[in-house]
Amino acid sequence: MSGDEGSEGQSPEGANMIARLAPQLVPWLQWPEIRRVSLTQRHVAHEVVMTVYQRYLTKTAPTSISARLDKLGMRLNCAQAAQSKGSPDATAMASGGLLVLEQSAFVLAQNCENYADLFEHVGFTIGDELDPGCTALLDCIERITSFRDAVIRLREHARAQHEAGPRMSSRVQRTGAWDDD
């Protein structure tokens, strides 16, 4: 390998082309490939880190974690409303929705863990822009944690309601219509 070739035997022109294409490639690559290419080619790492920040960690991007949490928050509100109805069908729908919301929170948390790993290993490539990226990542982690906690509280409430049995009308309870005496 000559001194002017990039890592893994690529020419500088090939590496520059990968760096230019990084913003389009990042959404299509799996995490191991993103990590591998970022660790092996510094100028590609810069583009990957900036793409991750702009695409997933800014509050204005439609693909951001914040935008996804906003949509999941609406679904959590729907599950809470369905659960408050108390009917068996509504409770079943809410339970299914809570399972999806809990899994979604797990996936978002895993993505944040991957982004933190990327920032830790190659974040130096973006220089002073690392601070806003890390701050945005921490904000996302806090929001995900709060969201996950809300889902868990609602799920626990649903479990407690299920164990308590069906609700009876307050009028029936007051008049004692179901008493055998």
Side-chain angles (χ1 to χ4, degrees):
M1 174 158 73
S2 67
D4 60 338
E5 288 184 351
S7 59
E8 295 184 16
Q10 291 183 343
S11 68
E13 295 83 26
N16 286 335
M17 184 170 55
I18 293 172
R20 283 192 313 271
L21 293 173
Q24 290 84 25
L25 293 175
V26 166
W28 295 98
L29 295 175
Q30 295 293 318
W31 172 245
E33 289 83 20
I34 291 173
R35 189 173 194 278
R36 187 178 314 117
V37 76
S38 296
L39 290 173
T40 58
Q41 300 189 18
R42 183 178 179 162
H43 51 287
V44 175
H46 176 271
E47 293 302 318
V48 168
V49 171
M50 288 306 298
T51 299
V52 164
Y53 170 65
Q54 292 167 351
R55 186 172 175 84
Y56 303 115
L57 300 176
T58 59
K59 293 182 180 179
T60 57
T63 55
S64 71
I65 289 176
S66 291
R68 291 180 187 187
L69 283 171
D70 290 342
K71 291 176 186 174
L72 291 173
M74 287 187 264
R75 291 182 70 177
L76 179 62
N77 290 342
C78 291
Q80 186 175 17
Q83 186 176 331
S84 70
K85 288 183 181 177
S87 72
D89 291 340
T91 304
M93 188 200 80
S95 296
L98 289 174
L99 180 63
V100 170
L101 292 172
E102 195 168 357
Q103 290 172 346
S104 297
F106 175 79
V107 169
L108 290 176
Q110 186 67 46
N111 288 346
C112 284
E113 186 177 317
N114 291 337
Y115 304 152
D117 181 66
L118 183 70
F119 285 3
E120 178 183 356
H121 288 94
V122 295
F124 66 90
T125 62
I126 62 171
D128 291 338
E129 295 176 50
L130 181 60
D131 185 48
C134 289
T135 301
L137 179 61
L138 290 173
D139 290 343
C140 288
I141 291 170
E142 286 178 19
R143 284 195 64 199
I144 292 168
T145 302
S146 296
F147 177 78
R148 185 186 57 110
D149 291 346
V151 171
I152 290 171
R153 281 192 306 271
L154 190 58
R155 186 189 65 206
E156 288 172 353
H157 180 70
R159 184 174 293 134
Q161 276 186 325
H162 178 71
E163 290 172 359
R167 295 188 304 189
M168 294 195 311
S169 168
S170 60
R171 188 178 62 179
V172 171
Q173 290 174 345
R174 272 186 276 143
T175 61
W178 296 104
D179 291 340
D180 288 345
D181 359 62

